[in-house]
Amino acid sequence: SQTIHQWPATLVQPVGSPLSLECTVEGTSNPNLYWYRQAAGRGLQLLFYSVGIGQISSEVPQNLSASRPQDRQFILSSKKLLLSDSGFYLCAWSRDRGYYEQYFGPGTRLTVT
Amino acid sequence: EDKVVQSPLSLVVHEGDTVTLNCSYEVTNFRSLLWYKQEKKAPTFLFMLTSSGIEKKSGRLSSILDKKELFSILNITATQTGDSAIYLCAPLDNDMRFGAGTRLTVKP
């Protein structure tokens, strides 16, 4: 069966510091991968998706970036965090973009101070 | 612009009550609609609805889609405290477009 991992589970970082969140998927190959952010009391906002290694599409302009160095690895990064980057970050995978349900990892709660 | 509206935003009921959660949407290139349950962390998948008028059922939960009127409902019968969660609907075109969710609280 498929499993999706995210780490760290929680993170407190000062403004201006860099960020790296990692997501890995087991039990499937060539998954579609997604990064979402959920602000308090809000729905999920799609940040990035990837259909393959090195292929990243951004949904919203921001100071975050994503990379997919391996088939089942997805990384969310920032060079300098802003207060507004605080939130709950979720990674998800699906079999085929636009046709199948997505399955979510446990999430990372980021607090920028 | 895509729009997804869920109502009510929050709901408090007692165990045994039946609840109906609503989701209306405006999405170009609509393919299907998904419902998720989010407790403390990751949303967990409940249903994917593709065709109008066909009810999907899982235990005490059921859901139906109306593609003409652009809405879906999620019903939970005989609610239990374990049903307390945020319920998210997400129409799917190429990507999922999430609503803000309905926060359901079931009191003993």
Side-chain angles (χ1 to χ4, degrees):
Chain A
S1 64
Q2 298 84 14
T3 310
I4 180 167
H5 303 280
Q6 278 186 251
W7 64 91
T10 59
L11 192 58
V12 180
Q13 292 281 98
V15 168
S17 63
L19 173 74
S20 181
L21 304 181
E22 190 162 341
C23 169
T24 58
V25 182
E26 295 176 358
T28 186
S29 58
N30 198 30
N32 287 270
L33 296 172
Y34 310 83
W35 277 112
Y36 289 88
R37 176 169 59 203
Q38 186 176 32
R42 306 280 298 275
L44 279 68
Q45 179 187 33
L46 179 63
L47 302 175
F48 301 95
Y49 66 86
S50 171
V51 300
I53 295 174
Q55 299 178 63
I56 309 294
S57 296
S58 173
E59 284 289 298
V60 292
Q62 58 212 321
N63 70 321
L64 299 171
S65 61
S67 62
R68 186 169 175 176
Q70 300 180 44
D71 182 46
R72 288 170 285 179
Q73 184 185 29
F74 205 23
I75 298 171
L76 182 69
S77 304
S78 174
K79 291 182 180 177
K80 286 186 179 181
L81 283 168
L82 307 172
L83 284 174
S84 58
D85 291 324
S86 293
F88 190 47
Y89 289 83
L90 288 156
C91 179
W93 77 273
S94 70
R95 260 173 278 180
D96 194 3
R97 179 171 170 247
Y99 293 96
Y100 291 93
E101 64 274 17
Q102 295 177 18
Y103 295 95
F104 288 86
T108 295
R109 188 161 301 281
L110 171 67
T111 303
V112 182
T113 60
Chain B
E1 185 179 312
D2 296 339
K3 193 164 70 173
V4 184
V5 179
Q6 290 189 245
S7 63
L9 290 180
S10 67
L11 188 57
V12 180
V13 301
H14 287 92
E15 276 192 317
D17 289 349
T18 293
V19 298
T20 298
L21 310 182
N22 304 291
C23 175
S24 65
Y25 63 90
E26 293 177 29
V27 174
T28 53
N29 302 316
F30 175 87
R31 292 177 180 164
S32 58
L33 186 139
L34 294 90
W35 283 97
Y36 284 83
K37 176 183 181 182
Q38 185 176 25
E39 296 176 83
K40 292 183 180 174
K41 291 194 173 178
T44 53
F45 172 71
L46 295 175
F47 298 110
M48 175 186 266
L49 305 159
T50 306
S51 303
S52 275
I54 299 175
E55 184 183 57
K56 290 230 173 165
K57 201 169 170 62
S58 175
R60 296 176 293 102
L61 277 68
S62 63
S63 185
I64 199 160
L65 175 68
D66 186 326
K67 288 164 76 172
K68 183 180 176 186
E69 299 298 330
L70 307 182
F71 78 88
S72 175
I73 60 172
L74 175 68
N75 282 317
I76 309 175
T77 58
T79 51
Q80 302 171 356
T81 54
D83 295 326
S84 297
I86 298 172
Y87 290 84
L88 299 163
C89 80
L92 179 66
D93 46 25
N94 283 325
D95 298 299
M96 295 199 294
R97 311 291 176 186
F98 281 90
T102 293
R103 181 180 293 275
L104 174 65
T105 303
V106 182
K107 293 189 172 181

